[in-house]
Amino acid sequence: MKAEIKPRINLEDRTPLQEVIPLDTPFVIFVDPSSACNFLCPFCPTGHRDMIDATGRFQGIMKFDMFKKIIDDLGEFAKPIKVLRMYKDGEPLLNKNLAAMIAYAKQSGFVDFIDTTTNGSLMTPERMTPLLDAGLDKINISVDGMNNAQYKKFTGVDFDFNTFVENVKWLYANKGACEVMIKIPGDLITESQRQEFLDTFGDYCDRIFIENFAPCWPEFDVEAHTGIKITQGIYQQPIRPTDTCPYIFYSMSINADGLVSSCFLDWGRKLLIGDINRQGVKSIWHGEPMNALRRQHLEGKRLNNPVCSQCGQLSHCLPDNIDAFREELLVKFNQYAGESLGVIPGTITQIPKSL
C-alpha cells in the first residue's frame, strides 16, 4: 500500500499554542463554499433538513464577489494565514465557482495553504481538473460505505460506488502536488470491510485512515441519530476531558452567507461573532464578541455557555490542550485585548453596529 495510515490532521510537530497566542493573524480560516449538501447523512446536522430549517440557516452557495472580499480583507493582516479551509457545513463541490475561488486565494499571496473536504459524489475529472489547476494543496475525501447499498443506507441517495473508485484513481494519477487523503468512519462498515477499504483505496491516496464517529457538534446527539455507542476518540485515541477550546484562539469560520462563526462546528448559528457583508475579517477576528468568548474559556467558564458546554469536540477530537496554561494565558490575553467584558456570542444582534 502506497498511502500512510495517518489521520487527516497532523498530530505531530504541532505549534505549542501556549507559546504563540494571542495571535494577531489567525492560523486557520474556514470559508464555506456551500452550506447545503446533496447527502442526507444521519450522523451530520446538515443531513437533517428539518433541523436545519428550524434554525433559519441559509441554505445555498457563497457568491464569488463575497469570497473575493474575504480574501482581499486578509491583506489587512501582517502576514498570510497558514490554512484556508474551503469547507464547513455543506458539500463544497456544489459551488461551481470553487476552482475560481481557489485560484483567487492562491494568487492573492494572503494564504499559504488551501484544502477542502468532499463526499466525492461530484468528483469527476471534469470538475477536479480546474481545482487542481487552481492550486488546491490538499483534498480530504469522505467515504460513506463500501458498496451502493451502504451508501443508500447511510447517505439517503443513490450512489455508483464503482464509478467513485475510478474517479479516485483518476484524481490520484493527475493530482500533481495536491495531497489526497481518504477517510471512512469505521462505524459504517463491517470488520472485514476495514481491510477492503485499505485495499481499495490504499494505492490511490497519500494518506488513509479509519475514523470513529464523534459527538463533535453541540446540541446534536450523534449516538441518538445513528444508534452507535461512541467509546473512542475520532482518531482512535482515548477520550479525555478538556475544558478550554483552543480553536477560538487560532481559527474562525465564515459561513456561506457571510455570517461569521467563532467555531467551525456552529451548525445552528448560535456562536455568531460578525458579518462579512459589513465588517472586515480582521475587525471580526479582533472584535469584542470573539474576545468575550475567548475570555470566558480562559476564565474557566466554558460550561456557562449553553452551546460550548455541549461540545464533544474537546473530549473526542482535540489535538491541542491549553488547560494547564489557562491562567497565564488569561493575563496575556487581557493585556492584549483589554479589560472590556463585552458580550458572549449568541445572536448577530449582539455585534456592535459601529463595526
Coordinates of all heavy atoms in Angstrom, one line a residue, residues 5-15 138 207 209 234-237 240 247 316-320:
I5 N -1.0 5.3 6.8 CA -2.1 5.2 7.6 C -2.0 6.4 8.6 O -1.2 6.3 9.6 CB -2.3 3.9 8.3 CG1 -2.4 2.8 7.2 CG2 -3.4 3.9 9.2 CD1 -2.5 1.4 7.8
K6 N -2.7 7.5 8.3 CA -2.5 8.7 9.1 C -3.7 9.5 9.1 O -4.4 9.7 8.0 CB -1.3 9.5 8.4 CG -0.8 10.7 9.2 CD 0.4 11.2 8.4 CE 1.0 12.4 9.2 NZ 2.2 13.0 8.4
P7 N -4.1 10.1 10.2 CA -5.3 11.0 10.2 C -5.2 12.2 9.3 O -4.1 12.6 8.9 CB -5.5 11.4 11.7 CG -4.6 10.5 12.4 CD -3.5 10.1 11.5
R8 N -6.4 12.8 9.0 CA -6.4 14.0 8.1 C -5.7 15.2 8.7 O -5.2 16.1 8.0 CB -7.8 14.3 7.8 CG -8.7 14.6 9.0 CD -10.1 14.8 8.6 NE -11.1 14.2 9.4 CZ -12.3 14.7 9.8 NH1 -12.7 15.8 9.3 NH2 -13.1 14.0 10.6
I9 N -5.6 15.3 10.1 CA -4.9 16.4 10.7 C -3.5 15.9 11.1 O -3.3 14.7 11.3 CB -5.6 16.9 11.9 CG1 -5.7 15.9 13.0 CG2 -7.0 17.5 11.6 CD1 -6.2 16.4 14.4
N10 N -2.6 16.8 11.3 CA -1.2 16.4 11.7 C -1.1 16.5 13.2 O -1.2 17.5 13.8 CB -0.2 17.4 11.0 CG -0.2 17.3 9.5 OD1 -0.3 16.2 9.0 ND2 -0.2 18.4 8.8
L11 N -1.0 15.3 13.8 CA -0.9 15.2 15.2 C 0.5 15.4 15.8 O 0.6 15.7 17.0 CB -1.5 13.8 15.7 CG -2.9 13.5 15.4 CD1 -3.3 12.1 15.7 CD2 -3.8 14.5 16.1
E12 N 1.5 15.4 14.9 CA 2.8 15.5 15.4 C 3.4 16.9 14.9 O 2.8 17.6 14.0 CB 3.8 14.4 14.8 CG 4.0 14.5 13.3 CD 2.8 14.0 12.5 OE1 1.9 13.4 13.0 OE2 2.8 14.3 11.2
D13 N 4.4 17.4 15.7 CA 5.1 18.6 15.3 C 4.1 19.8 15.3 O 4.2 20.7 14.5 CB 5.8 18.6 14.0 CG 6.9 17.5 14.0 OD1 7.5 17.3 15.0 OD2 7.0 16.8 13.0
R14 N 3.1 19.8 16.2 CA 2.2 20.9 16.3 C 2.8 22.1 17.1 O 3.5 21.9 18.0 CB 0.9 20.5 16.9 CG 0.1 19.4 16.1 CD -1.2 19.0 16.8 NE -2.2 20.1 16.8 CZ -2.9 20.4 15.7 NH1 -2.8 19.7 14.6 NH2 -3.8 21.4 15.8
T15 N 2.4 23.3 16.7 CA 2.9 24.5 17.4 C 2.3 24.5 18.8 O 1.1 24.4 18.9 CB 2.4 25.8 16.6 OG1 3.0 25.8 15.3 CG2 2.9 27.0 17.3
K138 N -4.6 20.3 -0.8 CA -5.0 19.1 -0.2 C -6.5 18.9 -0.4 O -7.3 19.8 -0.2 CB -4.6 19.0 1.3 CG -4.9 17.7 2.0 CD -4.5 17.8 3.5 CE -4.9 16.6 4.2 NZ -4.6 16.7 5.7
R207 N -2.5 9.6 2.1 CA -2.8 9.1 3.5 C -4.2 8.6 3.6 O -5.1 9.0 2.8 CB -2.5 10.2 4.5 CG -3.4 11.4 4.5 CD -3.2 12.3 5.7 NE -2.0 13.1 5.7 CZ -1.7 14.0 6.6 NH1 -2.4 14.1 7.7 NH2 -0.6 14.8 6.5
F209 N -7.2 6.7 6.5 CA -7.5 6.5 7.9 C -8.9 6.0 8.1 O -9.8 6.5 7.4 CB -7.2 7.7 8.7 CG -6.9 7.5 10.1 CD1 -5.7 7.0 10.6 CD2 -7.9 7.7 11.1 CE1 -5.5 6.7 11.9 CE2 -7.7 7.5 12.4 CZ -6.4 7.0 12.8
I234 N -12.2 10.3 17.8 CA -12.3 10.3 16.4 C -11.1 9.6 15.7 O -11.2 8.9 14.7 CB -12.6 11.6 15.8 CG1 -13.1 11.5 14.3 CG2 -11.5 12.6 15.9 CD1 -13.6 12.8 13.7
Y235 N -9.9 9.9 16.2 CA -8.7 9.3 15.6 C -8.2 8.1 16.4 O -7.0 7.8 16.4 CB -7.6 10.4 15.6 CG -8.1 11.7 14.9 CD1 -8.2 12.9 15.6 CD2 -8.5 11.6 13.6 CE1 -8.6 14.0 15.0 CE2 -9.0 12.8 12.9 CZ -9.0 14.0 13.6 OH -9.5 15.1 13.0
Q236 N -9.1 7.4 17.0 CA -8.9 6.1 17.7 C -8.1 6.4 19.0 O -7.5 5.5 19.6 CB -8.1 5.1 16.8 CG -8.9 4.8 15.6 CD -8.1 3.8 14.6 OE1 -7.1 3.3 15.0 NE2 -8.6 3.7 13.4
Q237 N -8.1 7.6 19.5 CA -7.4 8.0 20.7 C -8.3 7.9 21.9 O -9.5 7.9 21.7 CB -6.8 9.4 20.6 CG -7.7 10.5 20.9 CD -8.6 10.9 19.7 OE1 -8.8 10.2 18.8 NE2 -9.1 12.2 19.7
R240 N -10.7 12.1 26.4 CA -10.1 12.8 27.6 C -10.8 14.1 27.8 O -11.1 14.8 26.9 CB -8.6 13.0 27.4 CG -8.3 13.9 26.2 CD -6.8 14.2 26.0 NE -6.5 15.1 24.9 CZ -5.3 15.6 24.6 NH1 -4.3 15.3 25.4 NH2 -5.2 16.4 23.6
Y247 N -9.5 26.2 19.6 CA -9.8 26.6 18.2 C -10.1 28.1 18.1 O -9.7 28.8 17.1 CB -11.0 25.8 17.7 CG -10.8 24.4 17.5 CD1 -11.3 23.5 18.4 CD2 -10.0 23.9 16.5 CE1 -11.1 22.1 18.2 CE2 -9.7 22.5 16.3 CZ -10.3 21.6 17.2 OH -10.1 20.3 17.1
H316 N -13.3 14.4 22.4 CA -13.3 13.3 21.4 C -12.4 13.6 20.2 O -12.0 12.6 19.5 CB -14.7 12.9 20.9 CG -15.5 12.3 22.0 ND1 -16.0 12.9 23.1 CD2 -16.0 11.0 22.1 CE1 -16.7 12.1 23.8 NE2 -16.7 11.0 23.2
C317 N -12.0 14.8 19.9 CA -11.4 15.1 18.7 C -10.1 16.0 18.8 O -9.4 16.2 17.8 CB -12.3 15.8 17.7 SG -13.9 15.1 17.5
L318 N -9.9 16.5 20.0 CA -9.0 17.6 20.2 C -7.5 17.2 20.1 O -7.0 16.4 20.8 CB -9.2 18.3 21.5 CG -8.7 19.7 21.7 CD1 -9.3 20.7 20.7 CD2 -8.9 20.2 23.1
P319 N -6.7 17.9 19.2 CA -5.3 17.6 19.1 C -4.5 18.5 20.1 O -3.3 18.2 20.4 CB -4.9 17.9 17.7 CG -5.9 19.0 17.3 CD -7.2 18.7 18.1
D320 N -5.0 19.6 20.6 CA -4.3 20.5 21.4 C -5.0 20.7 22.8 O -6.3 20.6 22.8 CB -4.2 21.9 20.7 CG -3.6 21.9 19.4 OD1 -2.5 21.4 19.2 OD2 -4.3 22.2 18.4

